[in-house]
Amino acid sequence: MTTTAQPSGSTRKPSATAVMALGHATVDFYQGAVPALVPFLVAERGYGYTAASGIVLAATLLSSVVQPLFGALTDRRTMPWLIPVSSLCAGVGIALSGLGGSYVLTWLAVALAGIGVAAYHPESARLARTAARGSHVAMGWYSLGGTLGFALAPVVVGPVLTAGGLGATPWLVVPAAAGVLGTVSAIRVLARRAAVGRSAAARSAAPDNWPVFLRLSAVVVCRSVVFVGLSAFIGLYAQERVGGGPATGSAALFTLFAGGAAGTVAGGRLAVRWGRVRTVRLAYAASVPVVAGVVLVPGPALFVFAALAAAVLYVPFSLHVTLGQDFLPSRVGTASGVTLGLAVSVGGVVSPGIGALGEAAGLGVALAPLIGLCALAWWLARGLPEPDTEAYGASTGSARGTTSSV
């Protein structure tokens, strides 16, 4: 990330992309917090695989339904206020999730967090696009913020709940509050710039390519099922394969999420060198053997393959967003809602089925189909064209490779 030169003696301001990445980290922290809660819910409340996967479903089912709706709303008008409001909804939902012993109330609290995450992504991705000024690398940094938020969730949630039990979940609202305070000024500036960019994009945008966007969406769905399936159950799977209690599960989750950080950064840089579509294809081809390693290779090697799997699954993460925005240049909010938000949420819809199969036949059997989904994602990605990016540059109003300060 870069910043523009500041006058001598003045305070150097963070780049707009860095600020948006910070906000993205604090919201996606709550996506990572849900699977991090699962081992503690199993330990303190005796939930089985199906009940635990239902909690993951709570964070994702409503999110999957409302995500395109929020995207369509942001295509009609700039809604910067939605970003802080949705951030607080996510934080409050997770904060309430450990209070009381009712499964229904826990489910509803986690569902509130999921709706907050769903509302956040379309408008945030639009403003991040404005901040990035057409740079794939900058969008990679924005996506990295979300990846780091995911990765930090088990690091924070594990010690907090180990020390205080599920009753300590109210402390988990702190990242949301910090994210709102840290980004509100930048959001105002970017919202004004995005309104100008919307007018320019309307004059210069190419036609929307729905058939190709739907193919990309299918790729996103495959990736989502694979990654959410791994994140929901790798904590419990690691305890089975390696031994140890919830601390082992938290370590496996951190390894999975942290491995994605390198992949997210690499994705933007590889796209500059090889092109986005080629990078996406190669990443999914590599995902087949490494996800197979997570499922099939015994012992502590699971942690190595988890890191590799996260890396290759996150290489295309930010590229999905910019590709979707280029395939639907007049519906950036919708494209962002599907490629960025639904990338995480839709996989949770399948997680109860993985949990039920895990109870019936073991987690190893339940996770094995994820290998085939990686192969399907690679096959679907082979049919994606590299889009014309002139409209992307026009809508952001700047050449690639630059970011701005706020």
Side-chain angles (χ1 to χ4, degrees):
M1 289 176 292
T2 61
T3 54
T4 56
Q6 303 292 328
S8 177
S10 68
T11 301
R12 187 178 180 85
K13 296 181 179 180
S15 74
T17 298
V19 174
M20 294 304 296
L22 170 65
H24 196 191
T26 59
V27 167
D28 278 9
F29 172 88
Y30 296 105
Q31 292 179 332
V34 175
L37 283 168
V38 167
F40 295 93
L41 291 170
V42 171
E44 291 193 27
R45 298 183 180 174
Y47 292 170
Y49 291 152
T50 302
S53 61
I55 296 298
V56 178
L57 178 66
T60 56
L61 179 59
L62 288 176
S63 181
S64 298
V65 173
V66 303
Q67 193 92 233
L69 300 179
F70 283 113
L73 284 174
T74 61
D75 281 332
R76 293 178 176 271
R77 61 182 63 87
T78 301
M79 303 172 67
W81 56 266
L82 192 59
I83 296 177
V85 169
S86 58
S87 298
L88 291 175
C89 283
V92 169
I94 294 301
L96 295 175
S97 65
L99 303 182
S102 168
Y103 183 85
V104 172
L105 291 179
T106 300
W107 197 97
L108 290 174
V110 174
L112 174 64
I115 292 173
V117 171
Y120 177 88
H121 281 103
E123 186 68 357
S124 174
R126 179 193 298 279
L127 297 189
R129 170 188 173 109
T130 300
R133 296 183 181 270
S135 167
H136 300 315
V137 174
M139 284 298 290
W141 285 111
Y142 166 74
S143 296
L144 176 63
T147 304
L148 292 178
F150 257 91
L152 288 173
V155 176
V156 174
V157 171
V160 168
L161 299 192
T162 297
L166 291 173
T169 54
W171 288 104
L172 299 178
V173 77
V174 172
V180 169
L181 292 174
T183 60
V184 65
S185 296
I187 289 169
R188 292 195 191 100
V189 174
L190 290 172
R192 291 193 293 268
R193 191 184 305 154
V196 176
R198 187 193 297 269
S199 299
R203 294 191 298 269
S204 62
D208 295 329
N209 191 335
W210 280 101
V212 173
F213 179 77
L214 291 175
R215 176 178 280 266
L216 174 66
S217 299
V219 174
V220 170
V221 167
C222 290
R223 180 212 176 267
S224 177
V225 174
V226 173
F227 190 79
V228 174
L230 288 177
S231 65
F233 295 105
I234 196 170
L236 298 173
Y237 194 50
Q239 293 178 50
E240 289 183 3
R241 300 292 295 273
V242 182
T248 299
S250 294
L253 270 174
F254 174 74
T255 301
L256 183 75
F257 294 160
T264 304
V265 174
R269 298 186 182 280
L270 291 174
V272 172
R273 177 174 295 186
W274 294 341
R276 286 174 290 174
V277 170
R278 185 184 179 196
T279 300
V280 168
R281 292 170 183 161
L282 291 173
Y284 285 117
S287 72
V288 177
V290 295
V291 171
V294 173
V295 177
L296 302 175
V297 175
L302 176 145
F303 291 97
V304 176
F305 281 104
L308 292 173
V312 298
L313 288 171
Y314 265 96
V315 161
F317 189 59
S318 66
L319 307 183
H320 290 159
V321 180
T322 59
L323 283 169
Q325 291 172 338
D326 284 351
F327 292 144
L328 296 185
S330 70
R331 291 176 171 84
V332 171
T334 299
S336 302
V338 172
T339 55
L340 185 57
L342 248 135
V344 179
S345 62
V346 73
V349 177
V350 181
S351 63
I354 298 175
L357 182 58
E359 289 187 333
L363 278 179
V365 173
L367 295 175
L370 303 183
I371 305 168
L373 282 175
C374 291
L376 178 60
W378 167 77
W379 180 80
L380 289 167
R382 293 180 67 209
L384 294 175
E386 190 74 44
D388 178 8
T389 57
E390 288 183 3
Y392 186 95
S395 67
T396 55
S398 179
R400 296 186 184 279
T402 61
T403 60
S404 63
S405 296
V406 294

